[in-house]
Amino acid sequence: MTALPGVFTSCTSSKANGSGAGSGRPAQEFATASAIAFPKGFFWGTATASYQIEGAWKEDGKGESIWDRFTHTPGHIKNADTGDVACDSYHRWQEDIALMRAMNLNSYRFSIAWPRIQPLGSGSPNAKGLDYYNRLVDALLEAHIRPFVTLYHWDLPQALEDAGGWPNRETAGRFVDYVQIIARALGDRVTDFMIFNEPDAFVDLGYLDGTHAPGRKSILDFLRATHVVNLAQGEAFRAIKAARPNARVGTALSMSPCEPATDSEADKIAADRAHAITNVWFLEPALLGRYPDALTFLPETAMRIQPGDMEKTKAALDFVGINLYYRTIASAPGTTERVTHAQEWLFPVKMDGGQQGPRADNGWEVWPKALYDMVMRITRDYNRPVIEITESGCAYNDGPDASGVIRDARRITYHREYLAALAQAMQQGADVRGYHAWSLLDNFEWAEGYSQRFGLAYVDFKSGARTLKDSGRWYGEVARRNAVPAAKA
Ligand code: FCB
């Protein structure tokens, strides 16, 4: 944990787990002894993000993004890694589609780099940037793979950060202009959009925790940014619908079920607050036109909420995208902690990762039940919305053996068990339409650089060569059969 703990993402903020108590339930409680069938038409996909895979950071008129600036500034990223080249998907995208074909996938979640489209964050579109995504979309459709487009996965044009970034209300207007360009340019072929990827993560880590771009550490900037992003979400939703009435529009939210560390009343209240801020701070303004009860009071003035704003944040999202990796254990801080830190007074919650399950190579607890719990809670609390699992996955750093095979059995176990948990939620009424493994490729993992491998395909970062891992082959079988095969005894 950092000195100023991230409000939303305490266990992702340093992308490491803290110490938590946990409830002591077994991690593996979903039967996988027999095959589990999924409904016809279920989407089997992978997810990526522009900055994490594309490279070509200043090619074809692309402008500088906050991640270009952040990674080029020494001291921010492990091993001084950058996304300048990454997986070079800007040039090797056809190989990426070939991998998806080899895995029989029918959905690909990728994001559009705003600074490729508007290098300075406003004005007329850069044709070469649009061409790249046009080609990608056409090739996906030809391969019978749904293009599932994230409009913003964290690479804000640097020029907009220089003008105040997400805490500046005008950024919402700029975002809507950009979204309109995309809806007009791609919306004849792309029907499924996500407005944001993990708004909680990028405002928290970027404006409060400072470990992600743009690297600010300010509670005021953070509070303002959350509101501007909620406004941008509502306005962007309406802009897409105006341009493309048949589009299906949602957002990909990072979620993690929040369990109280003990049965005490104080820890239960802490868990409720943790849920409100971690999971639904960017959902309730859209669905219900209000902020959930996460803080001890709503700092409306500090957040610069204006009359009429909560009407503007509203958006009847067509689906709720869930990114889920692990659970969160919440507890109440002691009185001394509360009075000595302004932030803990406003948000009196400590959040840690669980401790009972096995751990991935980056320390995250593997806990399949987290996916079941979260999907069931969203299903119950919001009247059974359509859900897409927009990300789930694990960092295991297995590399090729002497014969070049990548035997990542632990990743197979992860996806098998998370899918079994998901299937159980679906049997109990959750309306889930797709699952997107994070990620197609090993890629640039933000502040961790290239030190964590999440891919179903291995990437040799020297040559750029891609090789399907055992998990990729296994996932391909899942997609082909539309069923998770029984675990071998
Ligand atoms: C999520 C991000 C994604 C990736 C995974 C591991 O929080 O959306 O870009 O970094 O974590």
Side-chain angles (χ1 to χ4, degrees):
M1 284 313 106
T2 48
L4 196 66
V7 164
F8 286 123
T9 44
S10 69
C11 36
T12 48
S13 56
S14 57
K15 297 259 180 192
N17 269 344
S19 57
S23 60
R25 281 186 295 242
Q28 332 295 359
E29 50 187 69
F30 295 91
T32 56
S34 47
I36 306 167
F38 278 71
K40 198 167 176 283
F42 193 77
F43 285 110
W44 294 104
T46 58
T48 61
S50 47
Y51 188 75
Q52 295 180 274
I53 66 161
E54 284 178 2
W57 76 281
K58 56 174 177 180
E59 219 167 302
D60 287 343
K62 176 181 166 293
E64 188 189 18
S65 81
I66 55 173
W67 273 94
D68 295 318
R69 178 71 62 90
F70 193 70
T71 57
H72 294 160
T73 310
H76 286 147
I77 311 293
K78 193 176 263 183
N79 304 320
D81 290 340
T82 74
D84 291 1
V85 178
C87 308
D88 198 22
S89 285
Y90 192 73
H91 300 109
R92 304 181 80 131
W93 55 275
Q94 281 157 312
E95 291 174 53
D96 297 344
I97 294 180
L99 288 172
M100 294 180 235
R101 289 185 100 131
M103 286 189 282
N104 313 298
L105 303 183
N106 59 1
S107 183
Y108 178 41
R109 175 173 177 240
F110 64 96
S111 80
I112 294 182
W114 184 354
R116 282 199 199 285
I117 310 302
Q118 291 180 301
L120 297 176
S122 59
S124 48
N126 168 32
K128 287 192 169 168
L130 278 177
D131 284 351
Y132 171 65
Y133 296 107
N134 267 315
R135 283 192 297 268
L136 180 63
V137 164
D138 288 343
L140 286 167
L141 290 172
E142 212 181 295
H144 305 289
I145 298 169
R146 168 181 69 160
F148 194 25
V149 170
T150 311
L151 291 157
Y152 183 84
H153 200 129
W154 306 359
D155 37 6
L156 184 73
Q158 179 64 39
L160 295 184
E161 170 59 19
D162 295 341
W166 282 111
N168 176 2
R169 218 172 148 102
E170 284 175 20
T171 303
R174 298 286 74 75
F175 181 64
V176 171
D177 291 346
Y178 151 70
V179 162
Q180 260 162 358
I181 293 173
I182 300 298
R184 289 193 190 122
L186 301 182
D188 55 335
R189 286 150 295 147
V190 175
T191 51
D192 300 67
F193 292 95
M194 283 139 290
I195 299 169
F196 286 118
N197 178 68
E198 299 193 354
D200 51 348
F202 76 77
V203 294
D204 182 14
L205 303 178
Y207 291 95
L208 179 64
D209 195 59
T211 51
H212 278 194
R216 290 199 232 168
K217 292 184 183 183
S218 155
I219 180 111
L220 270 188
D221 286 345
F222 158 76
L223 287 169
R224 284 172 192 160
T226 71
H227 187 55
V228 173
V229 167
N230 269 310
L231 285 171
Q233 182 168 257
E235 302 284 14
F237 178 85
R238 281 179 286 283
I240 304 170
K241 292 285 185 175
R244 301 286 174 186
N246 294 329
R248 285 184 292 276
V249 185
T251 270
L253 300 164
S254 67
M255 292 198 180
S256 175
C258 300
E259 303 175 11
T262 70
D263 282 342
S264 77
E265 213 37 48
D267 285 351
K268 282 186 195 155
I269 293 170
D272 287 344
R273 287 192 196 286
H275 169 76
I277 209 152
T278 310
N279 299 321
V280 296
W281 192 256
F282 295 90
L283 186 61
E284 293 210 344
L287 300 186
L288 308 174
R290 67 166 194 230
Y291 280 103
D293 291 333
L295 309 176
T296 45
F297 67 96
L298 191 67
E300 291 196 29
T301 315
M303 287 172 74
R304 296 198 170 138
I305 301 179
Q306 296 177 9
D309 275 4
M310 298 317 291
E311 270 308 304
K312 294 186 187 151
T313 63
K314 271 197 190 163
L317 300 174
D318 297 301
F319 64 89
V320 178
I322 296 182
N323 293 1
L324 186 139
Y325 293 84
Y326 46 69
R327 66 181 167 149
T328 294
I329 309 297
S331 57
T335 323
T336 341
E337 285 167 277
R338 283 195 62 182
V339 291
T340 46
H341 294 106
Q343 193 181 308
E344 295 211 355
W345 176 66
L346 181 65
F347 180 67
V349 180
K350 292 198 288 191
M351 296 190 284
D352 291 296
Q355 299 286 308
Q356 273 78 43
R359 286 174 181 260
D361 286 346
N362 62 350
W364 293 358
E365 186 195 33
V366 176
W367 198 260
K369 189 171 182 295
L371 187 56
Y372 168 84
D373 285 344
M374 200 69 246
V375 166
M376 290 312 287
R377 174 136 198 204
I378 295 299
T379 296
R380 268 195 314 271
D381 289 359
Y382 302 99
N383 195 21
R384 198 172 177 258
V386 171
I387 291 174
E388 295 258 7
I389 304 306
T390 35
E391 286 180 25
S392 189
C394 46
Y396 288 116
N397 291 342
D398 310 286
D401 67 10
S403 48
V405 178
I406 300 112
R407 301 181 197 279
D408 59 337
R410 293 173 299 174
R411 183 170 287 101
I412 296 176
T413 304
Y414 176 101
H415 285 295
R416 180 194 292 119
E417 289 178 354
Y418 276 61
L419 281 166
L422 183 65
Q424 184 157 317
M426 292 167 72
Q427 279 150 21
Q428 293 175 14
D431 187 1
V432 184
R433 306 289 173 90
Y435 181 87
H436 297 80
W438 183 271
S439 179
L440 173 65
L441 306 167
D442 295 336
N443 60 44
F444 176 83
E445 177 51 25
W446 310 114
E448 303 301 326
Y450 296 99
S451 66
Q452 299 182 358
R453 292 180 177 270
F454 279 86
L456 295 175
Y458 181 86
V459 176
D460 175 337
F461 289 106
K462 288 209 177 75
S463 66
R466 288 111 158 96
T467 312
L468 270 191
K469 301 178 186 177
D470 279 359
S471 61
R473 276 182 238 291
W474 175 84
Y475 195 58
E477 264 308 286
V478 171
R480 190 181 65 78
R481 299 189 200 181
N482 199 28
V484 175
K488 288 191 193 101

